[in-house]
Amino acid sequence: MNPHAKLISISSLILGTTITISSNHWMMAWTGLEINTLAILPLISKPHHPRAIEAATKYFLVQAAASTLLLFSSTTNALFTGQWDITQLTHPTSCLLLTTAISIKLGLVPFH
């Protein structure tokens, strides 16, 4: 991998993590998670081998499904509470969906 491309990928990982950690709004948290997902894909598929490409594709599809679930959770929370703030997660359905989405994104058992 080109050193400049590797530097951009690692910088994007740091930027995405910083955005996710420091966000107070669901859309900014989602944006940071998506930046992380898109930054790690070139690093996963760096060795041009069919298994690496397959792993990157599977990773992308699982992360896209988890991102959709996270957005659905935040929309459901906004529908029931009228708040888009991360700290106002009070509805049980939204909380369950968010926990599931973050577990998938982190790769926790049984979502690994």
Side-chain angles (χ1 to χ4, degrees), residues 91-110:
H91 196 267
T93 304
S94 299
C95 190
L96 178 69
L97 289 172
L98 177 73
T99 304
T100 304
I102 290 183
S103 297
I104 293 171
K105 282 215 160 277
L106 291 174
L108 296 178
V109 173

Side-chain angles (χ1 to χ4, degrees), residues 4 9 11 15 20 34 36 40 79 92 105-106:
H4 296 292
S9 293
S11 301
L15 175 69
T20 303
E34 287 303 307
N36 280 342
I40 199 77
L79 177 71
K105 282 215 160 277
L106 291 174

